[in-house]
Amino acid sequence: MLDEALVRDLLTFRQERDWEQFHTPKNLAIAIAVEAGELLEQFQWTRDGEAHSAPGDRVALRHELADVAILLTYLAHDLGVDLDEAVRDKLRVNAERYPAAENRGRVRKHGR
């Protein structure tokens, strides 16, 4: 997901501020949900397919995406989860669960 140098920079940033004490798994998970809500807010009252083309909109969208990624990186690090490995594993599981030949163009949830 993020390269090792960037992860180190994030961890250093957090450590220099002594924020690890506040970053419990519960608090990080809550913060991810809050930031995901702020990401959703970027799309509130927009039409489907409407581009975020205004420079201010793009900056806000990028910042919210970054907030989610940063918090997810902290949580994965603290829980000892390799995100790249977890994503690859989940992609394999989803490929088996939703074969392309049977699911192309469909939005049904598995088992429905």
Side-chain angles (χ1 to χ4, degrees):
M1 304 293 287
L2 301 180
D3 69 52
E4 290 180 32
L6 184 52
V7 172
R8 279 194 307 274
D9 289 347
L10 288 172
L11 295 173
T12 298
F13 178 89
R14 179 172 75 165
Q15 187 176 32
E16 288 173 347
R17 288 150 182 81
D18 192 26
W19 287 352
E20 297 99 325
Q21 64 179 314
F22 309 114
H23 288 183
T24 64
K26 178 193 78 151
N27 287 344
L28 287 169
I30 291 168
I32 290 167
V34 169
E35 293 299 337
E38 292 179 11
L39 177 60
L40 281 171
E41 186 178 25
Q42 298 301 309
F43 296 93
Q44 187 176 21
W45 312 121
T46 62
R47 290 187 165 92
D48 285 349
E50 190 174 69
H52 284 73
S53 55
D57 291 346
R58 294 294 294 174
V59 169
L61 183 62
R62 290 182 66 208
H63 285 179
E64 297 307 337
L65 285 166
D67 286 340
V68 172
I70 290 165
L71 292 165
L72 182 60
T73 300
Y74 288 150
L75 182 59
H77 172 269
D78 294 354
L79 294 176
V81 173
D82 180 318
L83 273 178
D84 287 345
E85 183 181 305
V87 169
R88 283 188 186 96
D89 182 53
K90 184 61 176 176
L91 181 58
R92 181 190 55 75
V93 168
N94 285 346
E96 291 173 7
R97 193 173 192 185
Y98 305 104
E102 298 171 18
N103 292 278
R104 183 169 175 78
R106 296 183 181 182
V107 294
R108 293 185 318 181
K109 185 78 174 159
H110 182 72
R112 292 186 198 177

